[in-house]
PDB file of all heavy atoms in Angstrom:
ATOM      1  N   VAL A1849     -41.887  -1.967  -3.322  1.00 95.00           N
ATOM      2  CA  VAL A1849     -42.936  -1.729  -4.272  1.00 95.00           C
ATOM      3  C   VAL A1849     -42.590  -0.506  -5.187  1.00 95.00           C
ATOM      4  O   VAL A1849     -42.123   0.536  -4.729  1.00 95.00           O
ATOM      5  CB  VAL A1849     -44.186  -1.377  -3.599  1.00 95.00           C
ATOM      6  CG1 VAL A1849     -45.373  -1.229  -4.685  1.00 95.00           C
ATOM      7  CG2 VAL A1849     -44.637  -2.562  -2.638  1.00 95.00           C
ATOM      8  N   SER A1850     -42.657  -0.861  -6.460  1.00 94.00           N
ATOM      9  CA  SER A1850     -42.437   0.308  -7.533  1.00 94.00           C
ATOM     10  C   SER A1850     -43.177   1.535  -7.216  1.00 94.00           C
ATOM     11  O   SER A1850     -44.322   1.450  -6.862  1.00 94.00           O
ATOM     12  CB  SER A1850     -42.680  -0.251  -8.907  1.00 94.00           C
ATOM     13  OG  SER A1850     -42.860   0.772  -9.796  1.00 94.00           O
ATOM     14  N   ARG A1851     -42.522   2.712  -7.310  1.00 92.00           N
ATOM     15  CA  ARG A1851     -43.186   4.053  -7.106  1.00 92.00           C
ATOM     16  C   ARG A1851     -44.354   4.279  -8.184  1.00 92.00           C
ATOM     17  O   ARG A1851     -45.274   4.923  -7.843  1.00 92.00           O
ATOM     18  CB  ARG A1851     -42.136   5.145  -7.318  1.00 92.00           C
ATOM     19  CG  ARG A1851     -41.234   5.242  -6.157  1.00 92.00           C
ATOM     20  CD  ARG A1851     -41.926   5.805  -4.769  1.00 92.00           C
ATOM     21  NE  ARG A1851     -42.688   6.951  -5.072  1.00 92.00           N
ATOM     22  CZ  ARG A1851     -42.250   8.238  -4.890  1.00 92.00           C
ATOM     23  NH1 ARG A1851     -40.979   8.362  -4.540  1.00 92.00           N
ATOM     24  NH2 ARG A1851     -43.055   9.225  -4.926  1.00 92.00           N
ATOM     25  N   SER A1852     -44.320   3.460  -9.130  1.00 91.00           N
ATOM     26  CA  SER A1852     -45.437   3.542 -10.232  1.00 91.00           C
ATOM     27  C   SER A1852     -46.836   3.050  -9.549  1.00 91.00           C
ATOM     28  O   SER A1852     -47.927   3.436 -10.029  1.00 91.00           O
ATOM     29  CB  SER A1852     -45.217   2.901 -11.484  1.00 91.00           C
ATOM     30  OG  SER A1852     -45.136   1.509 -11.122  1.00 91.00           O
ATOM     31  N   LEU A1853     -46.743   2.297  -8.516  1.00 95.00           N
ATOM     32  CA  LEU A1853     -47.966   1.723  -7.790  1.00 95.00           C
ATOM     33  C   LEU A1853     -48.353   2.449  -6.583  1.00 95.00           C
ATOM     34  O   LEU A1853     -49.255   2.090  -5.821  1.00 95.00           O
ATOM     35  CB  LEU A1853     -47.741   0.338  -7.499  1.00 95.00           C
ATOM     36  CG  LEU A1853     -47.426  -0.709  -8.630  1.00 95.00           C
ATOM     37  CD1 LEU A1853     -46.908  -2.034  -8.105  1.00 95.00           C
ATOM     38  CD2 LEU A1853     -48.676  -0.874  -9.441  1.00 95.00           C
ATOM     39  N   TRP A1854     -47.659   3.645  -6.301  1.00 96.00           N
ATOM     40  CA  TRP A1854     -48.013   4.306  -5.054  1.00 96.00           C
ATOM     41  C   TRP A1854     -49.116   5.283  -5.154  1.00 96.00           C
ATOM     42  O   TRP A1854     -49.659   5.887  -4.205  1.00 96.00           O
ATOM     43  CB  TRP A1854     -46.688   5.172  -4.597  1.00 96.00           C
ATOM     44  CG  TRP A1854     -45.681   4.351  -4.009  1.00 96.00           C
ATOM     45  CD1 TRP A1854     -45.213   3.066  -4.408  1.00 96.00           C
ATOM     46  CD2 TRP A1854     -44.647   4.799  -3.079  1.00 96.00           C
ATOM     47  NE1 TRP A1854     -44.278   2.611  -3.592  1.00 96.00           N
ATOM     48  CE2 TRP A1854     -43.868   3.655  -2.802  1.00 96.00           C
ATOM     49  CE3 TRP A1854     -44.607   6.019  -2.307  1.00 96.00           C
ATOM     50  CZ2 TRP A1854     -42.879   3.776  -1.763  1.00 96.00           C
ATOM     51  CZ3 TRP A1854     -43.616   6.048  -1.335  1.00 96.00           C
ATOM     52  CH2 TRP A1854     -42.662   4.929  -1.031  1.00 96.00           C
ATOM     53  N   GLN A1855     -49.701   5.566  -6.374  1.00 97.00           N
ATOM     54  CA  GLN A1855     -50.683   6.487  -6.530  1.00 97.00           C
ATOM     55  C   GLN A1855     -52.006   5.873  -6.844  1.00 97.00           C
ATOM     56  O   GLN A1855     -52.209   5.393  -7.946  1.00 97.00           O
ATOM     57  CB  GLN A1855     -50.403   7.474  -7.766  1.00 97.00           C
ATOM     58  CG  GLN A1855     -49.240   8.416  -7.408  1.00 97.00           C
ATOM     59  CD  GLN A1855     -49.491   9.720  -8.251  1.00 97.00           C
ATOM     60  OE1 GLN A1855     -50.495  10.434  -8.055  1.00 97.00           O
ATOM     61  NE2 GLN A1855     -48.537  10.149  -8.965  1.00 97.00           N
ATOM     62  N   PRO A1856     -53.031   5.711  -5.946  1.00 98.00           N
ATOM     63  CA  PRO A1856     -54.178   5.085  -6.311  1.00 98.00           C
ATOM     64  C   PRO A1856     -55.127   5.971  -7.044  1.00 98.00           C
ATOM     65  O   PRO A1856     -54.920   7.246  -7.215  1.00 98.00           O
ATOM     66  CB  PRO A1856     -54.787   4.769  -4.831  1.00 98.00           C
ATOM     67  CG  PRO A1856     -54.213   5.885  -3.923  1.00 98.00           C
ATOM     68  CD  PRO A1856     -52.908   6.252  -4.438  1.00 98.00           C
ATOM     69  N   ILE A1857     -56.353   5.540  -7.457  1.00 97.00           N
ATOM     70  CA  ILE A1857     -57.331   6.252  -8.203  1.00 97.00           C
ATOM     71  C   ILE A1857     -58.413   6.464  -7.202  1.00 97.00           C
ATOM     72  O   ILE A1857     -58.967   5.633  -6.648  1.00 97.00           O
ATOM     73  CB  ILE A1857     -57.818   5.439  -9.405  1.00 97.00           C
ATOM     74  CG1 ILE A1857     -56.605   5.159 -10.330  1.00 97.00           C
ATOM     75  CG2 ILE A1857     -58.959   6.117 -10.084  1.00 97.00           C
ATOM     76  CD1 ILE A1857     -56.732   4.096 -11.269  1.00 97.00           C
ATOM     77  N   PRO A1858     -58.836   7.838  -7.103  1.00 97.00           N
ATOM     78  CA  PRO A1858     -60.002   8.183  -6.218  1.00 97.00           C
ATOM     79  C   PRO A1858     -61.232   7.612  -6.818  1.00 97.00           C
ATOM     80  O   PRO A1858     -61.372   7.564  -8.086  1.00 97.00           O
ATOM     81  CB  PRO A1858     -59.887   9.705  -6.122  1.00 97.00           C
ATOM     82  CG  PRO A1858     -59.209  10.119  -7.298  1.00 97.00           C
ATOM     83  CD  PRO A1858     -58.174   9.044  -7.707  1.00 97.00           C
ATOM     84  N   GLY A1859     -62.324   7.114  -6.020  1.00 98.00           N
ATOM     85  CA  GLY A1859     -63.582   6.787  -6.543  1.00 98.00           C
ATOM     86  C   GLY A1859     -64.432   6.336  -5.396  1.00 98.00           C
ATOM     87  O   GLY A1859     -64.069   6.044  -4.290  1.00 98.00           O
ATOM     88  N   THR A1860     -65.830   6.368  -5.721  1.00 98.00           N
ATOM     89  CA  THR A1860     -66.760   5.924  -4.688  1.00 98.00           C
ATOM     90  C   THR A1860     -67.341   4.687  -5.372  1.00 98.00           C
ATOM     91  O   THR A1860     -68.356   4.562  -5.984  1.00 98.00           O
ATOM     92  CB  THR A1860     -67.957   6.976  -4.632  1.00 98.00           C
ATOM     93  OG1 THR A1860     -67.273   8.276  -4.309  1.00 98.00           O
ATOM     94  CG2 THR A1860     -68.862   6.680  -3.562  1.00 98.00           C
ATOM     95  N   LYS A1861     -66.569   3.534  -5.031  1.00 98.00           N
ATOM     96  CA  LYS A1861     -66.836   2.268  -5.549  1.00 98.00           C
ATOM     97  C   LYS A1861     -67.456   1.199  -4.511  1.00 98.00           C
ATOM     98  O   LYS A1861     -66.673   1.241  -3.526  1.00 98.00           O
ATOM     99  CB  LYS A1861     -65.725   1.591  -6.312  1.00 98.00           C
ATOM    100  CG  LYS A1861     -65.178   2.551  -7.534  1.00 98.00           C
ATOM    101  CD  LYS A1861     -63.982   1.905  -8.065  1.00 98.00           C
ATOM    102  CE  LYS A1861     -63.366   2.740  -9.282  1.00 98.00           C
ATOM    103  NZ  LYS A1861     -64.229   2.670 -10.465  1.00 98.00           N
ATOM    104  N   ALA A1862     -68.329   0.501  -4.847  1.00 98.00           N
ATOM    105  CA  ALA A1862     -68.831  -0.521  -3.975  1.00 98.00           C
ATOM    106  C   ALA A1862     -68.595  -1.885  -4.626  1.00 98.00           C
ATOM    107  O   ALA A1862     -68.543  -2.086  -5.837  1.00 98.00           O
ATOM    108  CB  ALA A1862     -70.226  -0.343  -3.616  1.00 98.00           C
ATOM    109  N   TYR A1863     -68.748  -2.935  -3.693  1.00 98.00           N
ATOM    110  CA  TYR A1863     -68.588  -4.356  -4.288  1.00 98.00           C
ATOM    111  C   TYR A1863     -69.998  -4.938  -3.917  1.00 98.00           C
ATOM    112  O   TYR A1863     -70.408  -5.000  -2.690  1.00 98.00           O
ATOM    113  CB  TYR A1863     -67.546  -5.125  -3.654  1.00 98.00           C
ATOM    114  CG  TYR A1863     -67.346  -6.455  -4.394  1.00 98.00           C
ATOM    115  CD1 TYR A1863     -66.666  -6.560  -5.524  1.00 98.00           C
ATOM    116  CD2 TYR A1863     -68.130  -7.560  -3.936  1.00 98.00           C
ATOM    117  CE1 TYR A1863     -66.477  -7.764  -6.218  1.00 98.00           C
ATOM    118  CE2 TYR A1863     -67.936  -8.810  -4.501  1.00 98.00           C
ATOM    119  CZ  TYR A1863     -67.156  -8.883  -5.807  1.00 98.00           C
ATOM    120  OH  TYR A1863     -67.128 -10.101  -6.396  1.00 98.00           O
ATOM    121  N   LYS A1864     -70.722  -5.507  -5.004  1.00 98.00           N
ATOM    122  CA  LYS A1864     -72.152  -5.995  -4.733  1.00 98.00           C
ATOM    123  C   LYS A1864     -72.009  -7.482  -4.262  1.00 98.00           C
ATOM    124  O   LYS A1864     -71.269  -8.346  -4.953  1.00 98.00           O
ATOM    125  CB  LYS A1864     -72.906  -5.832  -6.057  1.00 98.00           C
ATOM    126  CG  LYS A1864     -74.373  -5.894  -5.786  1.00 98.00           C
ATOM    127  CD  LYS A1864     -75.124  -5.814  -7.044  1.00 98.00           C
ATOM    128  CE  LYS A1864     -75.406  -4.287  -7.459  1.00 98.00           C
ATOM    129  NZ  LYS A1864     -76.351  -4.075  -8.565  1.00 98.00           N
ATOM    130  N   LEU A1865     -72.869  -7.806  -3.415  1.00 98.00           N
ATOM    131  CA  LEU A1865     -72.869  -9.235  -2.819  1.00 98.00           C
ATOM    132  C   LEU A1865     -74.384  -9.680  -2.781  1.00 98.00           C
ATOM    133  O   LEU A1865     -75.241  -8.860  -2.460  1.00 98.00           O
ATOM    134  CB  LEU A1865     -72.387  -9.348  -1.410  1.00 98.00           C
ATOM    135  CG  LEU A1865     -70.872  -9.163  -1.155  1.00 98.00           C
ATOM    136  CD1 LEU A1865     -70.590  -8.910   0.455  1.00 98.00           C
ATOM    137  CD2 LEU A1865     -70.068 -10.260  -1.799  1.00 98.00           C
ATOM    138  N   LYS A1866     -74.593 -10.848  -3.343  1.00 98.00           N
ATOM    139  CA  LYS A1866     -75.932 -11.329  -3.358  1.00 98.00           C
ATOM    140  C   LYS A1866     -76.315 -11.762  -1.781  1.00 98.00           C
ATOM    141  O   LYS A1866     -75.484 -12.326  -1.164  1.00 98.00           O
ATOM    142  CB  LYS A1866     -76.138 -12.680  -4.237  1.00 98.00           C
ATOM    143  CG  LYS A1866     -76.286 -12.332  -5.735  1.00 98.00           C
ATOM    144  CD  LYS A1866     -76.622 -13.513  -6.463  1.00 98.00           C
ATOM    145  CE  LYS A1866     -77.105 -13.177  -7.931  1.00 98.00           C
ATOM    146  NZ  LYS A1866     -76.025 -12.561  -8.717  1.00 98.00           N
ATOM    147  N   PHE A1867     -77.557 -11.558  -1.462  1.00 98.00           N
ATOM    148  CA  PHE A1867     -78.027 -12.023  -0.127  1.00 98.00           C
ATOM    149  C   PHE A1867     -77.756 -13.422   0.128  1.00 98.00           C
ATOM    150  O   PHE A1867     -78.020 -14.341  -0.842  1.00 98.00           O
ATOM    151  CB  PHE A1867     -79.526 -11.671  -0.010  1.00 98.00           C
ATOM    152  CG  PHE A1867     -80.110 -12.011   1.436  1.00 98.00           C
ATOM    153  CD1 PHE A1867     -80.024 -11.002   2.296  1.00 98.00           C
ATOM    154  CD2 PHE A1867     -80.468 -13.263   1.753  1.00 98.00           C
ATOM    155  CE1 PHE A1867     -80.439 -11.365   3.620  1.00 98.00           C
ATOM    156  CE2 PHE A1867     -80.879 -13.654   3.052  1.00 98.00           C
ATOM    157  CZ  PHE A1867     -80.867 -12.551   4.043  1.00 98.00           C
ATOM    158  N   GLY A1868     -77.152 -13.778   1.107  1.00 98.00           N
ATOM    159  CA  GLY A1868     -76.922 -15.222   1.511  1.00 98.00           C
ATOM    160  C   GLY A1868     -75.568 -15.741   1.011  1.00 98.00           C
ATOM    161  O   GLY A1868     -75.345 -16.947   1.194  1.00 98.00           O
ATOM    162  N   SER A1869     -74.834 -15.026   0.149  1.00 98.00           N
ATOM    163  CA  SER A1869     -73.545 -15.440  -0.297  1.00 98.00           C
ATOM    164  C   SER A1869     -72.542 -15.674   0.729  1.00 98.00           C
ATOM    165  O   SER A1869     -72.623 -14.906   1.700  1.00 98.00           O
ATOM    166  CB  SER A1869     -73.095 -14.560  -1.547  1.00 98.00           C
ATOM    167  OG  SER A1869     -72.900 -13.119  -0.928  1.00 98.00           O
ATOM    168  N   ARG A1870     -71.719 -16.701   0.475  1.00 98.00           N
ATOM    169  CA  ARG A1870     -70.718 -16.979   1.531  1.00 98.00           C
ATOM    170  C   ARG A1870     -69.414 -16.406   1.042  1.00 98.00           C
ATOM    171  O   ARG A1870     -68.940 -16.599  -0.061  1.00 98.00           O
ATOM    172  CB  ARG A1870     -70.554 -18.621   1.579  1.00 98.00           C
ATOM    173  CG  ARG A1870     -71.800 -19.129   2.159  1.00 98.00           C
ATOM    174  CD  ARG A1870     -71.990 -20.591   1.781  1.00 98.00           C
ATOM    175  NE  ARG A1870     -71.987 -20.896   0.324  1.00 98.00           N
ATOM    176  CZ  ARG A1870     -72.213 -22.102  -0.186  1.00 98.00           C
ATOM    177  NH1 ARG A1870     -72.298 -23.235   0.558  1.00 98.00           N
ATOM    178  NH2 ARG A1870     -72.211 -22.249  -1.605  1.00 98.00           N
ATOM    179  N   VAL A1871     -68.918 -15.491   1.934  1.00 98.00           N
ATOM    180  CA  VAL A1871     -67.741 -14.579   1.509  1.00 98.00           C
ATOM    181  C   VAL A1871     -66.550 -14.977   2.260  1.00 98.00           C
ATOM    182  O   VAL A1871     -66.405 -15.093   3.457  1.00 98.00           O
ATOM    183  CB  VAL A1871     -68.225 -13.134   1.762  1.00 98.00           C
ATOM    184  CG1 VAL A1871     -67.243 -12.157   1.259  1.00 98.00           C
ATOM    185  CG2 VAL A1871     -69.521 -12.741   1.130  1.00 98.00           C
ATOM    186  N   GLN A1872     -65.369 -14.834   1.466  1.00 98.00           N
ATOM    187  CA  GLN A1872     -64.060 -14.875   2.049  1.00 98.00           C
ATOM    188  C   GLN A1872     -63.320 -13.621   1.513  1.00 98.00           C
ATOM    189  O   GLN A1872     -63.362 -13.229   0.407  1.00 98.00           O
ATOM    190  CB  GLN A1872     -63.226 -16.082   1.634  1.00 98.00           C
ATOM    191  CG  GLN A1872     -61.777 -16.093   2.076  1.00 98.00           C
ATOM    192  CD  GLN A1872     -61.027 -17.311   1.820  1.00 98.00           C
ATOM    193  OE1 GLN A1872     -61.338 -18.459   2.321  1.00 98.00           O
ATOM    194  NE2 GLN A1872     -60.057 -17.352   0.840  1.00 98.00           N
ATOM    195  N   ILE A1873     -62.749 -12.900   2.449  1.00 98.00           N
ATOM    196  CA  ILE A1873     -61.884 -11.818   2.102  1.00 98.00           C
ATOM    197  C   ILE A1873     -60.499 -11.913   2.624  1.00 98.00           C
ATOM    198  O   ILE A1873     -60.287 -12.100   3.905  1.00 98.00           O
ATOM    199  CB  ILE A1873     -62.480 -10.567   2.582  1.00 98.00           C
ATOM    200  CG1 ILE A1873     -63.881 -10.180   2.050  1.00 98.00           C
ATOM    201  CG2 ILE A1873     -61.548  -9.251   2.082  1.00 98.00           C
ATOM    202  CD1 ILE A1873     -64.572  -8.883   2.610  1.00 98.00           C
ATOM    203  N   VAL A1874     -59.463 -11.897   1.728  1.00 98.00           N
ATOM    204  CA  VAL A1874     -58.110 -11.853   2.216  1.00 98.00           C
ATOM    205  C   VAL A1874     -57.736 -10.440   2.324  1.00 98.00           C
ATOM    206  O   VAL A1874     -57.876  -9.635   1.261  1.00 98.00           O
ATOM    207  CB  VAL A1874     -57.129 -12.589   1.192  1.00 98.00           C
ATOM    208  CG1 VAL A1874     -55.699 -12.509   1.527  1.00 98.00           C
ATOM    209  CG2 VAL A1874     -57.543 -14.042   1.084  1.00 98.00           C
ATOM    210  N   LEU A1875     -57.272  -9.951   3.469  1.00 98.00           N
ATOM    211  CA  LEU A1875     -56.882  -8.530   3.650  1.00 98.00           C
ATOM    212  C   LEU A1875     -55.246  -8.488   3.706  1.00 98.00           C
ATOM    213  O   LEU A1875     -54.660  -9.156   4.649  1.00 98.00           O
ATOM    214  CB  LEU A1875     -57.472  -8.081   4.954  1.00 98.00           C
ATOM    215  CG  LEU A1875     -59.016  -7.892   5.088  1.00 98.00           C
ATOM    216  CD1 LEU A1875     -59.528  -7.773   6.382  1.00 98.00           C
ATOM    217  CD2 LEU A1875     -59.475  -6.693   4.073  1.00 98.00           C
ATOM    218  N   GLN A1876     -54.737  -7.980   2.667  1.00 98.00           N
ATOM    219  CA  GLN A1876     -53.255  -7.951   2.586  1.00 98.00           C
ATOM    220  C   GLN A1876     -52.697  -6.560   2.840  1.00 98.00           C
ATOM    221  O   GLN A1876     -52.923  -5.560   2.001  1.00 98.00           O
ATOM    222  CB  GLN A1876     -52.936  -8.428   1.179  1.00 98.00           C
ATOM    223  CG  GLN A1876     -51.461  -8.432   0.676  1.00 98.00           C
ATOM    224  CD  GLN A1876     -50.585  -9.464   1.435  1.00 98.00           C
ATOM    225  OE1 GLN A1876     -50.838 -10.660   1.348  1.00 98.00           O
ATOM    226  NE2 GLN A1876     -49.643  -8.943   2.282  1.00 98.00           N
ATOM    227  N   ASP A1877     -51.801  -6.345   3.865  1.00 98.00           N
ATOM    228  CA  ASP A1877     -51.086  -5.233   4.042  1.00 98.00           C
ATOM    229  C   ASP A1877     -50.118  -5.049   2.961  1.00 98.00           C
ATOM    230  O   ASP A1877     -49.568  -5.983   2.223  1.00 98.00           O
ATOM    231  CB  ASP A1877     -50.362  -5.362   5.351  1.00 98.00           C
ATOM    232  CG  ASP A1877     -49.662  -3.998   5.783  1.00 98.00           C
ATOM    233  OD1 ASP A1877     -50.115  -2.924   5.327  1.00 98.00           O
ATOM    234  OD2 ASP A1877     -48.710  -4.035   6.499  1.00 98.00           O
ATOM    235  N   THR A1878     -49.750  -3.700   2.635  1.00 98.00           N
ATOM    236  CA  THR A1878     -48.771  -3.498   1.628  1.00 98.00           C
ATOM    237  C   THR A1878     -47.613  -2.621   2.246  1.00 98.00           C
ATOM    238  O   THR A1878     -47.891  -1.947   3.221  1.00 98.00           O
ATOM    239  CB  THR A1878     -49.201  -2.684   0.324  1.00 98.00           C
ATOM    240  OG1 THR A1878     -49.466  -1.292   0.655  1.00 98.00           O
ATOM    241  CG2 THR A1878     -50.533  -3.487  -0.196  1.00 98.00           C
ATOM    242  N   SER A1879     -46.430  -2.573   1.823  1.00 97.00           N
ATOM    243  CA  SER A1879     -45.302  -1.818   2.249  1.00 97.00           C
ATOM    244  C   SER A1879     -45.233  -0.559   1.515  1.00 97.00           C
ATOM    245  O   SER A1879     -44.165   0.224   1.689  1.00 97.00           O
ATOM    246  CB  SER A1879     -44.130  -2.672   2.054  1.00 97.00           C
ATOM    247  OG  SER A1879     -43.757  -2.896   0.807  1.00 97.00           O
ATOM    248  N   ILE A1880     -46.331  -0.070   0.819  1.00 97.00           N
ATOM    249  CA  ILE A1880     -46.287   1.259   0.271  1.00 97.00           C
ATOM    250  C   ILE A1880     -46.177   2.222   1.269  1.00 97.00           C
ATOM    251  O   ILE A1880     -47.015   2.390   2.238  1.00 97.00           O
ATOM    252  CB  ILE A1880     -47.560   1.461  -0.828  1.00 97.00           C
ATOM    253  CG1 ILE A1880     -47.532   0.453  -1.795  1.00 97.00           C
ATOM    254  CG2 ILE A1880     -47.579   2.798  -1.244  1.00 97.00           C
ATOM    255  CD1 ILE A1880     -48.713   0.417  -2.797  1.00 97.00           C
TER     256      ILE A1880
END
Side-chain angles (χ1 to χ4, degrees):
V1849 183
S1850 162
R1851 283 295 301 275
S1852 64
L1853 296 169
W1854 284 34
Q1855 287 209 64
I1857 296 156
T1860 310
K1861 295 176 184 285
Y1863 190 88
K1864 199 179 274 191
L1865 293 168
K1866 283 195 165 62
F1867 184 93
S1869 58
R1870 296 159 297 183
V1871 184
Q1872 172 175 296
I1873 305 178
V1874 177
L1875 295 162
Q1876 173 72 61
D1877 186 29
T1878 74
S1879 57
I1880 297 173

